[in-house]
Amino acid sequence: MSAERYEMVVGLEVHVHLKTRTKIFCRCSTSFGDAPNANTCPVCLALPGALPVLNDHAVELATRAALALECTVYERSIFARKNYFYPDLPKGYQISQFDRPLAERGRVVLPDGRAITITRIHMEEDAGKSVHDRYAGFTAIDLNRSGVPLVEIVSEPEIRGSAEAGAYLRALREVLLFADVSDCSMEEGSLRVDANVSARLHGDRAFRTRTEIKNLNSFSNVERALEVEFARHCAVHDAGGAIVQQTMLFDAGRGTVRPARSKEESHDYRYFPDPDLPPLVLEPAYIAAHRASLPEFPSARRARYQRDFGITAADADVLTASRAVGDYFEHTVAAAGDGKAAANWVTGEVLAALNETGATIERFAVSAARLGALIALVREGVVSGTAAKTVLDTMHHDAADPRAIAARDGLLQVGDDTQLRAWIDEVWAEHPDEGARFLGGEARLQGVLVGFVMKKSNRSADPKKVNQLLAERGK
């Protein structure tokens, strides 16, 4: 088999839970991890006579998601019934959108600048969950997830390769998190991926038969599953066989893909407008207001940070990994008056502390204003960079002003020449051999002598002035 002869063609369908407290058509909680079937009612259990009522917050979040992804949001869309039979779908149909979706024609920009087109974004309710490993020989049904609101984001088949699929998903998740429409937790199932893949010879324009790999729950599994299924397609084509359009499942433990069922087409679902739900009508002013409320997104933030603060692309990437981290950084810059220094502290000491404690930036003990004040003390020469780290450690459990902490703990930087020369004289007396060799021309010993002075001063000596005074003595 020569997979090099073939090009991978991928289109992704991403299901994203919207961050609402209640379900899309009833008041049941969307809380994750509750006891099985605890969050259910006649509506999401599909009991006779129960009628759906649309959750307006779900509409708001879906609209924000579509606008964040640069889609055209339609003023009128239609909810439809998607008919299929599965144990975790109590109604025997799913309320979704078909020929009149909420939004179409958006895009996701990859890190290399290439844009992948979004075909459509539509709203729908989630199905329940089949649990196969709870009881031996039985499948259990948990309907807590039934009716949780989600958007399905469908891309054009413009993705070429598993790595590009991973880049698309990471960029998509980044935008959705910044727009604050979902927590995008793949561990909790609030972001799930169905991947459509086919293989064609390089240079061909026509698409070949595709297969769909369902319910992939991590970006790495998406990439692995695509590689495995692409290799199978190539082998079948090389052998002169034909790919059967079907739904596949990926076994992450074994690294294999196996058929689940034949792949349905839209007519198999017998879509028709839901008679219990009127058309969803959005006023132009409503759409415009949500567009105006969108935040600055990561790619624009990264460019601005590099342009305005002179920081590296790598630091800009770290500082835009989440909206909260970026906000904390910007508030720190405002208090410190120094973008580069703020970037160094946030990407260094702050994120290291968060990694160590497992806390989030929102719960970090040191506010951006206090960190900025500490950085300003370093910039003004009030404390040294080393002493400032000691002050920061204290600030985690002490709410006092950083200057007050430094003064109380003897960490204010000493820049008085008389005091510095006195410490240098003491070091010279205690380390005469190093002093003599330094005066004899061993310039590398200057750093050693500076270290002795810093230790003697309890790290309070101004290292720049110590270096200057030692250099003068060595002439």
Side-chain angles (χ1 to χ4, degrees), residues 414-436:
V414 176
D416 176 67
D417 286 1
T418 301
Q419 178 62 68
L420 296 178
R421 285 194 176 96
W423 281 327
I424 291 172
D425 288 341
E426 291 178 28
V427 165
W428 225 266
E430 294 168 3
H431 303 278
D433 182 55
E434 286 84 350

Side-chain angles (χ1 to χ4, degrees), residues 206-465:
F207 294 121
R208 294 193 178 188
T209 302
R210 62 185 168 88
T211 52
E212 182 182 40
I213 312 168
K214 293 284 287 186
N215 289 328
L216 296 164
N217 60 2
S218 77
F219 296 158
S220 61
N221 279 346
V222 171
E223 295 177 13
R224 292 172 61 207
L226 286 173
E227 288 293 341
V228 172
E229 183 63 356
F230 174 65
R232 186 183 73 84
H233 280 232
C234 295
V236 170
H237 292 319
D238 278 347
I243 294 293
V244 177
Q245 182 168 318
Q246 55 190 340
T247 297
M248 316 293 287
L249 296 177
F250 178 60
D251 186 324
R254 298 179 180 178
T256 58
V257 175
R258 59 180 174 82
R261 61 180 185 270
S262 61
K263 172 62 180 168
E264 300 90 346
E265 297 287 2
S266 60
H267 61 265
D268 293 317
Y269 293 118
R270 305 187 317 283
Y271 284 99
F272 63 88
D274 192 303
D276 294 330
L277 289 164
L280 175 59
V281 178
L282 306 180
E283 296 294 333
Y286 176 95
I287 298 171
H290 280 293
R291 180 179 284 110
S293 71
L294 292 175
E296 180 184 34
F297 287 104
S299 58
R301 265 195 176 185
R302 284 191 283 269
R304 178 168 61 84
Y305 288 177
Q306 293 176 71
R307 180 186 68 246
D308 294 353
F309 304 133
I311 66 175
T312 65
D315 281 348
D317 284 344
V318 173
L319 293 168
T320 56
S322 78
R323 184 175 172 182
V325 169
D327 290 345
Y328 183 94
F329 165 67
E330 295 201 32
H331 292 143
T332 302
V333 174
D338 187 330
K340 278 190 175 181
N344 290 337
W345 280 85
V346 174
T347 60
E349 280 67 29
V350 172
L351 293 186
L354 295 178
N355 288 335
E356 184 177 338
T357 61
T360 63
I361 195 75
E362 295 92 337
R363 296 184 176 275
F364 188 51
V366 180
S367 69
R370 295 180 73 218
L371 177 63
L374 176 62
I375 295 169
L377 293 180
V378 177
R379 183 165 55 86
E380 295 162 6
V382 176
V383 296
S384 69
T386 303
K389 293 177 182 178
T390 302
V391 173
L392 180 62
D393 288 341
T394 304
M395 290 168 68
H396 286 281
H397 54 80
D398 188 330
D401 177 81
R403 184 186 290 268
I405 292 172
R408 183 194 66 202
D409 296 346
L411 295 171
L412 292 178
Q413 186 160 267
V414 176
D416 176 67
D417 286 1
T418 301
Q419 178 62 68
L420 296 178
R421 285 194 176 96
W423 281 327
I424 291 172
D425 288 341
E426 291 178 28
V427 165
W428 225 266
E430 294 168 3
H431 303 278
D433 182 55
E434 286 84 350
R437 288 161 56 198
F438 172 66
L439 293 177
E442 290 191 45
R444 64 183 181 81
L445 285 172
Q446 181 168 326
V448 175
L449 294 169
V450 170
F452 289 149
V453 175
M454 296 304 295
K455 183 176 181 181
K456 179 168 287 293
S457 69
N458 193 28
R459 317 301 299 179
S460 64
D462 183 338
K464 290 183 180 179
K465 285 199 171 185

Side-chain angles (χ1 to χ4, degrees), residues 42-43 46-52 276:
V43 174
L47 299 185
L51 294 174
D276 294 330

Side-chain angles (χ1 to χ4, degrees), residues 114-126:
R114 196 165 90 83
I116 303 298
T117 305
I118 293 173
T119 309
R120 58 185 277 141
I121 294 179
H122 62 261
M123 298 182 67
E124 62 184 24
E125 61 179 344
D126 207 348

Side-chain angles (χ1 to χ4, degrees), residues 147-165:
V148 170
L150 59 82
V151 287
E152 182 173 343
I153 303 168
V154 182
S155 82
E156 287 289 301
E158 297 174 349
I159 298 169
R160 301 291 178 265
S162 59
E164 191 165 88

